[in-house]
Short mmCIF file of all heavy atoms in Angstrom, two decimals:
data_model
loop_
_atom_site.label_atom_id
_atom_site.label_comp_id
_atom_site.label_asym_id
_atom_site.label_seq_id
_atom_site.Cartn_x
_atom_site.Cartn_y
_atom_site.Cartn_z
N ALA A 40 29.03 4.02 -7.39
CA ALA A 40 30.14 4.97 -7.29
C ALA A 40 29.87 6.14 -8.22
O ALA A 40 29.36 5.97 -9.33
CB ALA A 40 31.46 4.31 -7.67
N LEU A 41 30.22 7.33 -7.77
CA LEU A 41 30.13 8.53 -8.60
C LEU A 41 31.46 8.83 -9.24
O LEU A 41 32.52 8.58 -8.66
CB LEU A 41 29.70 9.72 -7.77
CG LEU A 41 28.23 9.81 -7.34
CD1 LEU A 41 28.07 10.96 -6.35
CD2 LEU A 41 27.32 9.98 -8.53
N SER A 42 31.43 9.41 -10.43
CA SER A 42 32.65 9.98 -11.00
C SER A 42 33.06 11.18 -10.15
O SER A 42 32.23 11.76 -9.43
CB SER A 42 32.40 10.41 -12.44
OG SER A 42 31.38 11.41 -12.50
N PRO A 43 34.34 11.57 -10.19
CA PRO A 43 34.78 12.68 -9.32
C PRO A 43 33.99 13.97 -9.52
O PRO A 43 33.79 14.72 -8.56
CB PRO A 43 36.25 12.85 -9.73
CG PRO A 43 36.68 11.49 -10.16
CD PRO A 43 35.47 10.93 -10.87
N ASP A 44 33.53 14.24 -10.73
CA ASP A 44 32.77 15.47 -10.97
C ASP A 44 31.28 15.30 -10.72
O ASP A 44 30.51 16.25 -10.86
CB ASP A 44 33.02 16.00 -12.38
CG ASP A 44 32.49 15.06 -13.47
OD1 ASP A 44 31.91 14.00 -13.14
OD2 ASP A 44 32.68 15.39 -14.67
N GLY A 45 30.88 14.10 -10.34
CA GLY A 45 29.48 13.85 -10.01
C GLY A 45 28.56 13.70 -11.20
O GLY A 45 27.34 13.56 -11.03
N SER A 46 29.09 13.71 -12.40
CA SER A 46 28.25 13.67 -13.59
C SER A 46 27.79 12.26 -13.96
O SER A 46 26.86 12.10 -14.76
CB SER A 46 28.98 14.28 -14.78
OG SER A 46 30.10 13.48 -15.16
N ARG A 47 28.45 11.25 -13.40
CA ARG A 47 28.10 9.87 -13.71
C ARG A 47 27.87 9.07 -12.44
O ARG A 47 28.56 9.27 -11.44
CB ARG A 47 29.24 9.18 -14.47
CG ARG A 47 29.42 9.60 -15.89
CD ARG A 47 30.50 8.74 -16.53
NE ARG A 47 30.71 9.08 -17.92
CZ ARG A 47 31.45 8.36 -18.75
NH1 ARG A 47 32.06 7.27 -18.30
NH2 ARG A 47 31.60 8.71 -20.01
N LEU A 48 26.92 8.15 -12.51
CA LEU A 48 26.73 7.15 -11.48
C LEU A 48 27.04 5.80 -12.09
O LEU A 48 26.39 5.38 -13.05
CB LEU A 48 25.28 7.17 -10.97
CG LEU A 48 24.91 6.02 -10.01
CD1 LEU A 48 25.66 6.16 -8.69
CD2 LEU A 48 23.40 5.97 -9.79
N TYR A 49 28.03 5.11 -11.53
CA TYR A 49 28.36 3.76 -11.95
C TYR A 49 27.67 2.78 -11.01
O TYR A 49 27.63 2.99 -9.79
CB TYR A 49 29.87 3.53 -11.88
CG TYR A 49 30.68 4.41 -12.79
CD1 TYR A 49 31.35 5.53 -12.30
CD2 TYR A 49 30.78 4.13 -14.15
CE1 TYR A 49 32.10 6.35 -13.13
CE2 TYR A 49 31.53 4.95 -15.00
CZ TYR A 49 32.19 6.05 -14.48
OH TYR A 49 32.93 6.86 -15.31
N ILE A 50 27.13 1.71 -11.58
CA ILE A 50 26.53 0.66 -10.77
C ILE A 50 27.14 -0.68 -11.14
O ILE A 50 27.54 -0.91 -12.29
CB ILE A 50 25.00 0.60 -10.91
CG1 ILE A 50 24.58 0.08 -12.30
CG2 ILE A 50 24.36 1.95 -10.61
CD1 ILE A 50 23.10 -0.29 -12.40
N GLY A 51 27.24 -1.56 -10.17
CA GLY A 51 27.72 -2.92 -10.41
C GLY A 51 26.89 -3.91 -9.63
O GLY A 51 26.23 -3.55 -8.66
N GLY A 52 26.91 -5.14 -10.06
CA GLY A 52 26.15 -6.17 -9.36
C GLY A 52 26.09 -7.45 -10.17
O GLY A 52 27.09 -7.87 -10.76
N SER A 53 24.89 -8.03 -10.18
CA SER A 53 24.67 -9.27 -10.92
C SER A 53 23.44 -9.08 -11.80
O SER A 53 22.31 -9.32 -11.37
CB SER A 53 24.47 -10.44 -9.95
OG SER A 53 24.26 -11.64 -10.65
N PHE A 54 23.65 -8.60 -13.01
CA PHE A 54 22.56 -8.33 -13.94
C PHE A 54 23.09 -8.41 -15.37
O PHE A 54 24.30 -8.39 -15.60
CB PHE A 54 21.94 -6.95 -13.67
CG PHE A 54 22.92 -5.82 -13.60
CD1 PHE A 54 23.42 -5.20 -14.74
CD2 PHE A 54 23.37 -5.34 -12.37
CE1 PHE A 54 24.32 -4.15 -14.66
CE2 PHE A 54 24.28 -4.29 -12.27
CZ PHE A 54 24.75 -3.69 -13.43
N ASN A 55 22.20 -8.50 -16.33
CA ASN A 55 22.62 -8.48 -17.73
C ASN A 55 21.78 -7.57 -18.61
O ASN A 55 22.01 -7.48 -19.82
CB ASN A 55 22.68 -9.89 -18.34
CG ASN A 55 21.35 -10.63 -18.26
OD1 ASN A 55 20.29 -10.03 -18.42
ND2 ASN A 55 21.43 -11.92 -17.99
N GLN A 56 20.84 -6.85 -18.00
CA GLN A 56 20.08 -5.85 -18.74
C GLN A 56 19.76 -4.66 -17.85
O GLN A 56 19.43 -4.81 -16.67
CB GLN A 56 18.77 -6.43 -19.27
CG GLN A 56 18.93 -7.28 -20.53
CD GLN A 56 17.62 -7.41 -21.28
OE1 GLN A 56 16.53 -7.27 -20.72
NE2 GLN A 56 17.72 -7.72 -22.56
N VAL A 57 19.84 -3.48 -18.45
CA VAL A 57 19.43 -2.24 -17.79
C VAL A 57 18.59 -1.46 -18.80
O VAL A 57 19.06 -1.20 -19.92
CB VAL A 57 20.63 -1.40 -17.33
CG1 VAL A 57 20.16 -0.09 -16.69
CG2 VAL A 57 21.50 -2.18 -16.35
N ASP A 58 17.42 -1.11 -18.40
CA ASP A 58 16.49 -0.40 -19.30
C ASP A 58 16.35 -1.10 -20.65
O ASP A 58 16.29 -0.46 -21.71
CB ASP A 58 16.93 1.05 -19.49
CG ASP A 58 16.73 1.88 -18.24
OD1 ASP A 58 15.95 1.46 -17.36
OD2 ASP A 58 17.35 2.96 -18.12
N GLY A 59 16.35 -2.42 -20.61
CA GLY A 59 16.16 -3.20 -21.81
C GLY A 59 17.38 -3.34 -22.69
O GLY A 59 17.32 -3.98 -23.75
N LYS A 60 18.51 -2.80 -22.25
CA LYS A 60 19.75 -2.88 -23.03
C LYS A 60 20.75 -3.80 -22.32
O LYS A 60 20.78 -3.86 -21.09
CB LYS A 60 20.37 -1.50 -23.21
CG LYS A 60 19.48 -0.56 -24.03
CD LYS A 60 20.14 0.79 -24.23
CE LYS A 60 19.25 1.71 -25.06
NZ LYS A 60 19.88 3.04 -25.26
N THR A 61 21.54 -4.50 -23.09
CA THR A 61 22.50 -5.44 -22.52
C THR A 61 23.59 -4.71 -21.75
O THR A 61 24.26 -3.82 -22.29
CB THR A 61 23.14 -6.30 -23.62
OG1 THR A 61 22.10 -7.03 -24.29
CG2 THR A 61 24.16 -7.27 -23.04
N ARG A 62 23.74 -5.08 -20.49
CA ARG A 62 24.81 -4.57 -19.66
C ARG A 62 25.24 -5.71 -18.74
O ARG A 62 24.44 -6.17 -17.92
CB ARG A 62 24.38 -3.36 -18.82
CG ARG A 62 24.05 -2.11 -19.61
CD ARG A 62 25.27 -1.49 -20.25
NE ARG A 62 24.98 -0.21 -20.86
CZ ARG A 62 24.54 -0.05 -22.11
NH1 ARG A 62 24.29 -1.12 -22.87
NH2 ARG A 62 24.32 1.15 -22.60
N TRP A 63 26.48 -6.15 -18.86
CA TRP A 63 26.96 -7.30 -18.10
C TRP A 63 27.61 -6.85 -16.80
O TRP A 63 28.78 -6.52 -16.74
CB TRP A 63 27.92 -8.13 -18.94
CG TRP A 63 27.24 -8.88 -20.04
CD1 TRP A 63 27.21 -8.55 -21.37
CD2 TRP A 63 26.45 -10.06 -19.91
NE1 TRP A 63 26.45 -9.46 -22.07
CE2 TRP A 63 25.97 -10.40 -21.20
CE3 TRP A 63 26.09 -10.87 -18.82
CZ2 TRP A 63 25.16 -11.52 -21.42
CZ3 TRP A 63 25.29 -11.98 -19.05
CH2 TRP A 63 24.83 -12.30 -20.34
N ASN A 64 26.81 -6.77 -15.74
CA ASN A 64 27.26 -6.57 -14.36
C ASN A 64 27.81 -5.17 -14.06
O ASN A 64 28.21 -4.91 -12.93
CB ASN A 64 28.30 -7.62 -13.96
CG ASN A 64 27.74 -9.03 -14.00
OD1 ASN A 64 26.56 -9.24 -13.76
ND2 ASN A 64 28.58 -10.00 -14.31
N ILE A 65 27.79 -4.27 -15.03
CA ILE A 65 28.23 -2.90 -14.79
C ILE A 65 27.51 -1.98 -15.77
O ILE A 65 27.21 -2.37 -16.91
CB ILE A 65 29.76 -2.75 -14.91
CG1 ILE A 65 30.22 -1.38 -14.39
CG2 ILE A 65 30.25 -3.01 -16.33
CD1 ILE A 65 31.73 -1.26 -14.23
N ALA A 66 27.21 -0.76 -15.31
CA ALA A 66 26.55 0.22 -16.17
C ALA A 66 26.82 1.61 -15.61
O ALA A 66 27.32 1.76 -14.49
CB ALA A 66 25.05 -0.05 -16.25
N ALA A 67 26.48 2.63 -16.39
CA ALA A 67 26.68 4.01 -15.96
C ALA A 67 25.50 4.86 -16.40
O ALA A 67 24.93 4.65 -17.49
CB ALA A 67 27.98 4.57 -16.51
N PHE A 68 25.15 5.85 -15.56
CA PHE A 68 24.05 6.76 -15.83
C PHE A 68 24.55 8.20 -15.81
O PHE A 68 25.47 8.54 -15.07
CB PHE A 68 22.95 6.62 -14.77
CG PHE A 68 22.28 5.28 -14.74
CD1 PHE A 68 22.77 4.28 -13.91
CD2 PHE A 68 21.18 5.02 -15.53
CE1 PHE A 68 22.15 3.04 -13.86
CE2 PHE A 68 20.55 3.79 -15.48
CZ PHE A 68 21.04 2.79 -14.66
N ASP A 69 23.90 9.03 -16.58
CA ASP A 69 24.08 10.48 -16.51
C ASP A 69 23.27 10.97 -15.31
O ASP A 69 22.05 10.79 -15.26
CB ASP A 69 23.59 11.12 -17.80
CG ASP A 69 23.80 12.62 -17.86
OD1 ASP A 69 23.51 13.31 -16.86
OD2 ASP A 69 24.23 13.12 -18.91
N THR A 70 23.93 11.58 -14.32
CA THR A 70 23.21 11.98 -13.11
C THR A 70 22.28 13.17 -13.35
O THR A 70 21.31 13.35 -12.60
CB THR A 70 24.19 12.32 -11.97
OG1 THR A 70 25.09 13.34 -12.41
CG2 THR A 70 24.96 11.10 -11.53
N ALA A 71 22.55 13.97 -14.37
CA ALA A 71 21.69 15.12 -14.65
C ALA A 71 20.35 14.68 -15.23
O ALA A 71 19.30 15.25 -14.90
CB ALA A 71 22.39 16.08 -15.59
N THR A 72 20.37 13.65 -16.09
CA THR A 72 19.16 13.24 -16.79
C THR A 72 18.62 11.89 -16.31
O THR A 72 17.46 11.57 -16.56
CB THR A 72 19.42 13.13 -18.29
OG1 THR A 72 20.35 12.08 -18.53
CG2 THR A 72 19.97 14.44 -18.83
N GLY A 73 19.48 11.09 -15.66
CA GLY A 73 19.09 9.74 -15.27
C GLY A 73 19.19 8.74 -16.40
O GLY A 73 18.84 7.56 -16.24
N ALA A 74 19.67 9.18 -17.56
CA ALA A 74 19.73 8.30 -18.73
C ALA A 74 20.89 7.32 -18.64
O ALA A 74 21.98 7.66 -18.16
CB ALA A 74 19.87 9.13 -20.00
N LEU A 75 20.68 6.11 -19.11
CA LEU A 75 21.73 5.11 -19.23
C LEU A 75 22.71 5.56 -20.30
O LEU A 75 22.30 5.95 -21.40
CB LEU A 75 21.12 3.77 -19.61
CG LEU A 75 22.07 2.59 -19.80
CD1 LEU A 75 22.68 2.16 -18.47
CD2 LEU A 75 21.33 1.41 -20.45
N LEU A 76 24.01 5.51 -19.99
CA LEU A 76 25.02 5.95 -20.95
C LEU A 76 25.31 4.85 -21.97
O LEU A 76 25.54 3.70 -21.61
CB LEU A 76 26.31 6.33 -20.23
CG LEU A 76 26.26 7.57 -19.34
CD1 LEU A 76 27.60 7.78 -18.66
CD2 LEU A 76 25.87 8.81 -20.13
N ASN A 77 25.33 5.23 -23.23
CA ASN A 77 25.70 4.30 -24.29
C ASN A 77 27.18 4.35 -24.63
O ASN A 77 27.69 3.50 -25.36
CB ASN A 77 24.88 4.57 -25.54
CG ASN A 77 23.44 4.11 -25.39
OD1 ASN A 77 23.18 3.03 -24.86
ND2 ASN A 77 22.51 4.93 -25.83
N THR A 78 27.89 5.35 -24.10
CA THR A 78 29.32 5.47 -24.36
C THR A 78 30.17 4.62 -23.43
O THR A 78 31.36 4.44 -23.67
CB THR A 78 29.76 6.94 -24.22
OG1 THR A 78 29.34 7.42 -22.94
CG2 THR A 78 29.14 7.79 -25.32
N PHE A 79 29.58 4.12 -22.35
CA PHE A 79 30.29 3.29 -21.38
C PHE A 79 29.50 2.00 -21.18
O PHE A 79 28.49 1.99 -20.49
CB PHE A 79 30.45 4.03 -20.04
CG PHE A 79 31.21 3.24 -18.99
CD1 PHE A 79 32.59 3.28 -18.96
CD2 PHE A 79 30.54 2.48 -18.06
CE1 PHE A 79 33.30 2.56 -18.00
CE2 PHE A 79 31.24 1.75 -17.09
CZ PHE A 79 32.62 1.79 -17.07
#
Side-chain angles (χ1 to χ4, degrees):
L41 285 171
S42 61
D44 65 1
S46 67
R47 287 185 179 190
L48 172 68
Y49 298 102
I50 70 168
S53 180
F54 51 81
N55 57 37
Q56 281 200 337
V57 178
D58 289 342
K60 296 182 179 179
T61 299
R62 293 291 187 273
W63 289 102
N64 298 329
I65 191 169
F68 296 91
D69 183 315
T70 56
T72 66
L75 179 69
L76 292 178
N77 287 318
T78 54
F79 181 85

